[in-house]
PDB file of all heavy atoms in Angstrom:
ATOM      1  N   VAL B   1      76.137  71.205  36.087  1.00 96.00           N
ATOM      2  CA  VAL B   1      74.957  70.477  36.604  1.00 96.00           C
ATOM      3  C   VAL B   1      75.222  70.149  38.078  1.00 96.00           C
ATOM      4  O   VAL B   1      75.163  68.999  38.497  1.00 96.00           O
ATOM      5  CB  VAL B   1      74.661  69.203  35.773  1.00 96.00           C
ATOM      6  CG1 VAL B   1      74.050  69.556  34.428  1.00 96.00           C
ATOM      7  CG2 VAL B   1      75.929  68.370  35.568  1.00 96.00           C
ATOM      8  N   ASP B   2      75.474  71.179  38.849  1.00 95.00           N
ATOM      9  CA  ASP B   2      75.938  70.997  40.215  1.00 95.00           C
ATOM     10  C   ASP B   2      74.908  70.328  41.118  1.00 95.00           C
ATOM     11  O   ASP B   2      75.250  69.744  42.146  1.00 95.00           O
ATOM     12  CB  ASP B   2      76.339  72.359  40.799  1.00 95.00           C
ATOM     13  CG  ASP B   2      77.077  72.221  42.117  1.00 95.00           C
ATOM     14  OD1 ASP B   2      78.083  71.489  42.145  1.00 95.00           O
ATOM     15  OD2 ASP B   2      76.639  72.834  43.110  1.00 95.00           O
ATOM     16  N   SER B   3      73.623  70.402  40.735  1.00 96.00           N
ATOM     17  CA  SER B   3      72.565  69.789  41.548  1.00 96.00           C
ATOM     18  C   SER B   3      72.047  68.499  40.938  1.00 96.00           C
ATOM     19  O   SER B   3      70.911  68.086  41.192  1.00 96.00           O
ATOM     20  CB  SER B   3      71.402  70.786  41.740  1.00 96.00           C
ATOM     21  OG  SER B   3      71.837  71.962  42.395  1.00 96.00           O
ATOM     22  N   ILE B   4      72.889  67.842  40.142  1.00 96.00           N
ATOM     23  CA  ILE B   4      72.453  66.653  39.415  1.00 96.00           C
ATOM     24  C   ILE B   4      72.051  65.504  40.336  1.00 96.00           C
ATOM     25  O   ILE B   4      71.254  64.650  39.960  1.00 96.00           O
ATOM     26  CB  ILE B   4      73.555  66.194  38.439  1.00 96.00           C
ATOM     27  CG1 ILE B   4      73.014  65.131  37.464  1.00 96.00           C
ATOM     28  CG2 ILE B   4      74.777  65.685  39.190  1.00 96.00           C
ATOM     29  CD1 ILE B   4      73.998  64.742  36.383  1.00 96.00           C
ATOM     30  N   MET B   5      72.572  65.486  41.542  1.00 95.00           N
ATOM     31  CA  MET B   5      72.262  64.399  42.460  1.00 95.00           C
ATOM     32  C   MET B   5      70.755  64.225  42.621  1.00 95.00           C
ATOM     33  O   MET B   5      70.236  63.106  42.618  1.00 95.00           O
ATOM     34  CB  MET B   5      72.918  64.648  43.823  1.00 95.00           C
ATOM     35  CG  MET B   5      72.619  63.576  44.855  1.00 95.00           C
ATOM     36  SD  MET B   5      73.192  61.954  44.325  1.00 95.00           S
ATOM     37  CE  MET B   5      72.426  60.904  45.546  1.00 95.00           C
ATOM     38  N   CYS B   6      70.021  65.335  42.724  1.00 93.00           N
ATOM     39  CA  CYS B   6      68.586  65.251  43.004  1.00 93.00           C
ATOM     40  C   CYS B   6      67.711  65.992  41.992  1.00 93.00           C
ATOM     41  O   CYS B   6      66.511  65.732  41.929  1.00 93.00           O
ATOM     42  CB  CYS B   6      68.288  65.802  44.406  1.00 93.00           C
ATOM     43  SG  CYS B   6      69.078  64.875  45.745  1.00 93.00           S
ATOM     44  N   ARG B   7      68.275  66.918  41.239  1.00 95.00           N
ATOM     45  CA  ARG B   7      67.454  67.763  40.367  1.00 95.00           C
ATOM     46  C   ARG B   7      67.166  67.075  39.040  1.00 95.00           C
ATOM     47  O   ARG B   7      68.078  66.704  38.294  1.00 95.00           O
ATOM     48  CB  ARG B   7      68.158  69.098  40.123  1.00 95.00           C
ATOM     49  CG  ARG B   7      67.257  70.127  39.457  1.00 95.00           C
ATOM     50  CD  ARG B   7      67.994  71.437  39.232  1.00 95.00           C
ATOM     51  NE  ARG B   7      67.125  72.414  38.587  1.00 95.00           N
ATOM     52  CZ  ARG B   7      67.551  73.504  37.985  1.00 95.00           C
ATOM     53  NH1 ARG B   7      68.861  73.753  37.941  1.00 95.00           N
ATOM     54  NH2 ARG B   7      66.706  74.335  37.422  1.00 95.00           N
ATOM     55  N   GLU B   8      65.882  66.921  38.737  1.00 95.00           N
ATOM     56  CA  GLU B   8      65.471  66.144  37.572  1.00 95.00           C
ATOM     57  C   GLU B   8      65.951  66.764  36.267  1.00 95.00           C
ATOM     58  O   GLU B   8      66.350  66.052  35.346  1.00 95.00           O
ATOM     59  CB  GLU B   8      63.946  65.996  37.552  1.00 95.00           C
ATOM     60  CG  GLU B   8      63.397  65.091  38.649  1.00 95.00           C
ATOM     61  CD  GLU B   8      61.898  64.893  38.535  1.00 95.00           C
ATOM     62  OE1 GLU B   8      61.308  65.376  37.546  1.00 95.00           O
ATOM     63  OE2 GLU B   8      61.317  64.240  39.428  1.00 95.00           O
ATOM     64  N   GLU B   9      65.894  68.120  36.169  1.00 95.00           N
ATOM     65  CA  GLU B   9      66.299  68.752  34.911  1.00 95.00           C
ATOM     66  C   GLU B   9      67.759  68.462  34.592  1.00 95.00           C
ATOM     67  O   GLU B   9      68.114  68.201  33.435  1.00 95.00           O
ATOM     68  CB  GLU B   9      66.107  70.275  34.981  1.00 95.00           C
ATOM     69  CG  GLU B   9      64.671  70.705  35.173  1.00 95.00           C
ATOM     70  CD  GLU B   9      64.398  71.042  36.633  1.00 95.00           C
ATOM     71  OE1 GLU B   9      64.746  70.208  37.503  1.00 95.00           O
ATOM     72  OE2 GLU B   9      63.852  72.126  36.895  1.00 95.00           O
ATOM     73  N   GLU B  10      68.608  68.495  35.601  1.00 97.00           N
ATOM     74  CA  GLU B  10      70.032  68.287  35.367  1.00 97.00           C
ATOM     75  C   GLU B  10      70.338  66.820  35.091  1.00 97.00           C
ATOM     76  O   GLU B  10      71.209  66.504  34.275  1.00 97.00           O
ATOM     77  CB  GLU B  10      70.832  68.823  36.552  1.00 97.00           C
ATOM     78  CG  GLU B  10      70.650  70.329  36.711  1.00 97.00           C
ATOM     79  CD  GLU B  10      71.488  70.920  37.831  1.00 97.00           C
ATOM     80  OE1 GLU B  10      72.397  70.240  38.338  1.00 97.00           O
ATOM     81  OE2 GLU B  10      71.216  72.084  38.201  1.00 97.00           O
ATOM     82  N   GLN B  11      69.617  65.925  35.743  1.00 97.00           N
ATOM     83  CA  GLN B  11      69.752  64.505  35.398  1.00 97.00           C
ATOM     84  C   GLN B  11      69.315  64.258  33.961  1.00 97.00           C
ATOM     85  O   GLN B  11      69.963  63.516  33.219  1.00 97.00           O
ATOM     86  CB  GLN B  11      68.931  63.651  36.355  1.00 97.00           C
ATOM     87  CG  GLN B  11      69.463  63.590  37.767  1.00 97.00           C
ATOM     88  CD  GLN B  11      68.662  62.637  38.639  1.00 97.00           C
ATOM     89  OE1 GLN B  11      67.906  61.791  38.138  1.00 97.00           O
ATOM     90  NE2 GLN B  11      68.826  62.751  39.949  1.00 97.00           N
ATOM     91  N   ALA B  12      68.212  64.890  33.587  1.00 97.00           N
ATOM     92  CA  ALA B  12      67.707  64.737  32.220  1.00 97.00           C
ATOM     93  C   ALA B  12      68.726  65.273  31.212  1.00 97.00           C
ATOM     94  O   ALA B  12      68.921  64.697  30.132  1.00 97.00           O
ATOM     95  CB  ALA B  12      66.367  65.452  32.063  1.00 97.00           C
ATOM     96  N   HIS B  13      69.391  66.372  31.577  1.00 97.00           N
ATOM     97  CA  HIS B  13      70.399  66.935  30.679  1.00 97.00           C
ATOM     98  C   HIS B  13      71.563  65.964  30.490  1.00 97.00           C
ATOM     99  O   HIS B  13      72.006  65.713  29.360  1.00 97.00           O
ATOM    100  CB  HIS B  13      70.908  68.262  31.234  1.00 97.00           C
ATOM    101  CG  HIS B  13      72.048  68.835  30.461  1.00 97.00           C
ATOM    102  ND1 HIS B  13      71.937  69.243  29.141  1.00 97.00           N
ATOM    103  CD2 HIS B  13      73.352  69.060  30.802  1.00 97.00           C
ATOM    104  CE1 HIS B  13      73.102  69.688  28.714  1.00 97.00           C
ATOM    105  NE2 HIS B  13      73.977  69.591  29.702  1.00 97.00           N
ATOM    106  N   ALA B  14      72.084  65.409  31.595  1.00 97.00           N
ATOM    107  CA  ALA B  14      73.191  64.462  31.491  1.00 97.00           C
ATOM    108  C   ALA B  14      72.789  63.239  30.674  1.00 97.00           C
ATOM    109  O   ALA B  14      73.549  62.760  29.815  1.00 97.00           O
ATOM    110  CB  ALA B  14      73.666  64.050  32.872  1.00 97.00           C
ATOM    111  N   SER B  15      71.589  62.742  30.928  1.00 97.00           N
ATOM    112  CA  SER B  15      71.106  61.582  30.166  1.00 97.00           C
ATOM    113  C   SER B  15      70.902  61.942  28.704  1.00 97.00           C
ATOM    114  O   SER B  15      71.215  61.153  27.801  1.00 97.00           O
ATOM    115  CB  SER B  15      69.801  61.055  30.773  1.00 97.00           C
ATOM    116  OG  SER B  15      70.017  60.536  32.065  1.00 97.00           O
ATOM    117  N   SER B  16      70.384  63.141  28.456  1.00 97.00           N
ATOM    118  CA  SER B  16      70.159  63.553  27.072  1.00 97.00           C
ATOM    119  C   SER B  16      71.479  63.692  26.329  1.00 97.00           C
ATOM    120  O   SER B  16      71.570  63.360  25.139  1.00 97.00           O
ATOM    121  CB  SER B  16      69.380  64.864  27.018  1.00 97.00           C
ATOM    122  OG  SER B  16      70.176  65.965  27.420  1.00 97.00           O
ATOM    123  N   MET B  17      72.531  64.165  27.014  1.00 98.00           N
ATOM    124  CA  MET B  17      73.831  64.260  26.365  1.00 98.00           C
ATOM    125  C   MET B  17      74.384  62.873  26.045  1.00 98.00           C
ATOM    126  O   MET B  17      75.022  62.663  25.002  1.00 98.00           O
ATOM    127  CB  MET B  17      74.815  65.028  27.250  1.00 98.00           C
ATOM    128  CG  MET B  17      74.470  66.502  27.434  1.00 98.00           C
ATOM    129  SD  MET B  17      74.232  67.393  25.873  1.00 98.00           S
ATOM    130  CE  MET B  17      75.813  67.178  25.095  1.00 98.00           C
ATOM    131  N   TYR B  18      74.132  61.914  26.936  1.00 98.00           N
ATOM    132  CA  TYR B  18      74.545  60.537  26.667  1.00 98.00           C
ATOM    133  C   TYR B  18      73.834  60.013  25.420  1.00 98.00           C
ATOM    134  O   TYR B  18      74.480  59.496  24.483  1.00 98.00           O
ATOM    135  CB  TYR B  18      74.235  59.650  27.872  1.00 98.00           C
ATOM    136  CG  TYR B  18      74.428  58.173  27.605  1.00 98.00           C
ATOM    137  CD1 TYR B  18      75.678  57.584  27.731  1.00 98.00           C
ATOM    138  CD2 TYR B  18      73.363  57.370  27.198  1.00 98.00           C
ATOM    139  CE1 TYR B  18      75.860  56.236  27.471  1.00 98.00           C
ATOM    140  CE2 TYR B  18      73.534  56.020  26.938  1.00 98.00           C
ATOM    141  CZ  TYR B  18      74.785  55.456  27.067  1.00 98.00           C
ATOM    142  OH  TYR B  18      74.950  54.117  26.800  1.00 98.00           O
ATOM    143  N   TYR B  19      72.505  60.164  25.383  1.00 98.00           N
ATOM    144  CA  TYR B  19      71.748  59.598  24.264  1.00 98.00           C
ATOM    145  C   TYR B  19      71.961  60.391  22.976  1.00 98.00           C
ATOM    146  O   TYR B  19      71.979  59.815  21.882  1.00 98.00           O
ATOM    147  CB  TYR B  19      70.268  59.515  24.630  1.00 98.00           C
ATOM    148  CG  TYR B  19      69.973  58.394  25.598  1.00 98.00           C
ATOM    149  CD1 TYR B  19      69.523  58.656  26.895  1.00 98.00           C
ATOM    150  CD2 TYR B  19      70.172  57.066  25.229  1.00 98.00           C
ATOM    151  CE1 TYR B  19      69.266  57.625  27.788  1.00 98.00           C
ATOM    152  CE2 TYR B  19      69.922  56.027  26.115  1.00 98.00           C
ATOM    153  CZ  TYR B  19      69.476  56.316  27.397  1.00 98.00           C
ATOM    154  OH  TYR B  19      69.239  55.285  28.280  1.00 98.00           O
ATOM    155  N   LEU B  20      72.125  61.700  23.085  1.00 98.00           N
ATOM    156  CA  LEU B  20      72.449  62.493  21.895  1.00 98.00           C
ATOM    157  C   LEU B  20      73.769  62.016  21.296  1.00 98.00           C
ATOM    158  O   LEU B  20      73.879  61.801  20.081  1.00 98.00           O
ATOM    159  CB  LEU B  20      72.545  63.974  22.259  1.00 98.00           C
ATOM    160  CG  LEU B  20      73.081  64.902  21.164  1.00 98.00           C
ATOM    161  CD1 LEU B  20      72.139  64.946  19.974  1.00 98.00           C
ATOM    162  CD2 LEU B  20      73.329  66.305  21.712  1.00 98.00           C
ATOM    163  N   THR B  21      74.760  61.831  22.153  1.00 98.00           N
ATOM    164  CA  THR B  21      76.063  61.373  21.680  1.00 98.00           C
ATOM    165  C   THR B  21      75.951  59.995  21.048  1.00 98.00           C
ATOM    166  O   THR B  21      76.513  59.735  19.976  1.00 98.00           O
ATOM    167  CB  THR B  21      77.070  61.361  22.843  1.00 98.00           C
ATOM    168  OG1 THR B  21      77.103  62.661  23.454  1.00 98.00           O
ATOM    169  CG2 THR B  21      78.457  61.010  22.355  1.00 98.00           C
ATOM    170  N   LYS B  22      75.207  59.107  21.690  1.00 98.00           N
ATOM    171  CA  LYS B  22      75.006  57.763  21.137  1.00 98.00           C
ATOM    172  C   LYS B  22      74.248  57.808  19.809  1.00 98.00           C
ATOM    173  O   LYS B  22      74.491  56.989  18.915  1.00 98.00           O
ATOM    174  CB  LYS B  22      74.241  56.902  22.146  1.00 98.00           C
ATOM    175  CG  LYS B  22      75.092  56.315  23.254  1.00 98.00           C
ATOM    176  CD  LYS B  22      76.093  55.311  22.698  1.00 98.00           C
ATOM    177  CE  LYS B  22      76.807  54.547  23.783  1.00 98.00           C
ATOM    178  NZ  LYS B  22      77.842  53.644  23.238  1.00 98.00           N
ATOM    179  N   SER B  23      73.324  58.754  19.690  1.00 98.00           N
ATOM    180  CA  SER B  23      72.545  58.833  18.448  1.00 98.00           C
ATOM    181  C   SER B  23      73.427  59.231  17.271  1.00 98.00           C
ATOM    182  O   SER B  23      73.095  58.943  16.116  1.00 98.00           O
ATOM    183  CB  SER B  23      71.394  59.826  18.606  1.00 98.00           C
ATOM    184  OG  SER B  23      71.857  61.172  18.594  1.00 98.00           O
ATOM    185  N   LEU B  24      74.550  59.898  17.559  1.00 98.00           N
ATOM    186  CA  LEU B  24      75.461  60.318  16.509  1.00 98.00           C
ATOM    187  C   LEU B  24      76.657  59.380  16.347  1.00 98.00           C
ATOM    188  O   LEU B  24      77.339  59.411  15.324  1.00 98.00           O
ATOM    189  CB  LEU B  24      75.971  61.738  16.805  1.00 98.00           C
ATOM    190  CG  LEU B  24      74.901  62.828  16.804  1.00 98.00           C
ATOM    191  CD1 LEU B  24      75.468  64.126  17.338  1.00 98.00           C
ATOM    192  CD2 LEU B  24      74.325  63.022  15.409  1.00 98.00           C
ATOM    193  N   ASP B  25      76.915  58.567  17.374  1.00 98.00           N
ATOM    194  CA  ASP B  25      78.092  57.691  17.323  1.00 98.00           C
ATOM    195  C   ASP B  25      77.889  56.509  18.270  1.00 98.00           C
ATOM    196  O   ASP B  25      77.995  56.651  19.485  1.00 98.00           O
ATOM    197  CB  ASP B  25      79.341  58.477  17.728  1.00 98.00           C
ATOM    198  CG  ASP B  25      80.617  57.648  17.609  1.00 98.00           C
ATOM    199  OD1 ASP B  25      80.535  56.470  17.196  1.00 98.00           O
ATOM    200  OD2 ASP B  25      81.693  58.184  17.926  1.00 98.00           O
ATOM    201  N   THR B  26      77.626  55.357  17.707  1.00 97.00           N
ATOM    202  CA  THR B  26      77.476  54.138  18.516  1.00 97.00           C
ATOM    203  C   THR B  26      78.779  53.359  18.625  1.00 97.00           C
ATOM    204  O   THR B  26      78.812  52.294  19.248  1.00 97.00           O
ATOM    205  CB  THR B  26      76.404  53.216  17.908  1.00 97.00           C
ATOM    206  OG1 THR B  26      76.798  52.857  16.575  1.00 97.00           O
ATOM    207  CG2 THR B  26      75.046  53.899  17.873  1.00 97.00           C
ATOM    208  N   THR B  27      79.852  53.875  18.045  1.00 98.00           N
ATOM    209  CA  THR B  27      81.103  53.110  17.973  1.00 98.00           C
ATOM    210  C   THR B  27      82.042  53.371  19.141  1.00 98.00           C
ATOM    211  O   THR B  27      83.097  52.749  19.220  1.00 98.00           O
ATOM    212  CB  THR B  27      81.859  53.433  16.671  1.00 98.00           C
ATOM    213  OG1 THR B  27      82.377  54.772  16.727  1.00 98.00           O
ATOM    214  CG2 THR B  27      80.946  53.294  15.459  1.00 98.00           C
ATOM    215  N   ARG B  28      81.679  54.291  20.045  1.00 98.00           N
ATOM    216  CA  ARG B  28      82.581  54.651  21.136  1.00 98.00           C
ATOM    217  C   ARG B  28      81.850  54.626  22.470  1.00 98.00           C
ATOM    218  O   ARG B  28      80.625  54.647  22.543  1.00 98.00           O
ATOM    219  CB  ARG B  28      83.164  56.056  20.912  1.00 98.00           C
ATOM    220  CG  ARG B  28      84.080  56.152  19.698  1.00 98.00           C
ATOM    221  CD  ARG B  28      84.552  57.576  19.495  1.00 98.00           C
ATOM    222  NE  ARG B  28      85.616  57.654  18.501  1.00 98.00           N
ATOM    223  CZ  ARG B  28      85.420  57.906  17.211  1.00 98.00           C
ATOM    224  NH1 ARG B  28      84.199  58.106  16.751  1.00 98.00           N
ATOM    225  NH2 ARG B  28      86.450  57.973  16.376  1.00 98.00           N
ATOM    226  N   MET B  29      82.641  54.616  23.547  1.00 98.00           N
ATOM    227  CA  MET B  29      82.098  54.747  24.885  1.00 98.00           C
ATOM    228  C   MET B  29      81.637  56.193  25.110  1.00 98.00           C
ATOM    229  O   MET B  29      82.235  57.141  24.576  1.00 98.00           O
ATOM    230  CB  MET B  29      83.143  54.400  25.936  1.00 98.00           C
ATOM    231  CG  MET B  29      83.722  52.995  25.839  1.00 98.00           C
ATOM    232  SD  MET B  29      82.524  51.697  26.250  1.00 98.00           S
ATOM    233  CE  MET B  29      82.085  51.135  24.580  1.00 98.00           C
ATOM    234  N   VAL B  30      80.570  56.350  25.895  1.00 98.00           N
ATOM    235  CA  VAL B  30      80.105  57.673  26.297  1.00 98.00           C
ATOM    236  C   VAL B  30      80.012  57.698  27.817  1.00 98.00           C
ATOM    237  O   VAL B  30      79.411  56.808  28.428  1.00 98.00           O
ATOM    238  CB  VAL B  30      78.744  58.023  25.670  1.00 98.00           C
ATOM    239  CG1 VAL B  30      78.297  59.415  26.119  1.00 98.00           C
ATOM    240  CG2 VAL B  30      78.816  57.957  24.147  1.00 98.00           C
ATOM    241  N   ILE B  31      80.617  58.706  28.423  1.00 97.00           N
ATOM    242  CA  ILE B  31      80.644  58.854  29.879  1.00 97.00           C
ATOM    243  C   ILE B  31      79.775  60.052  30.224  1.00 97.00           C
ATOM    244  O   ILE B  31      80.101  61.191  29.859  1.00 97.00           O
ATOM    245  CB  ILE B  31      82.084  59.058  30.377  1.00 97.00           C
ATOM    246  CG1 ILE B  31      82.947  57.848  29.957  1.00 97.00           C
ATOM    247  CG2 ILE B  31      82.118  59.262  31.887  1.00 97.00           C
ATOM    248  CD1 ILE B  31      84.430  58.121  29.992  1.00 97.00           C
TER     249      ILE B  31
END
């Protein structure tokens, strides 16, 4: 996600990975 600084799709991907991970496991930190 090399253009994550400004590109909406890549920001959405990083955020989606955070929330996907949280949806499967709320017991740990997600970075």
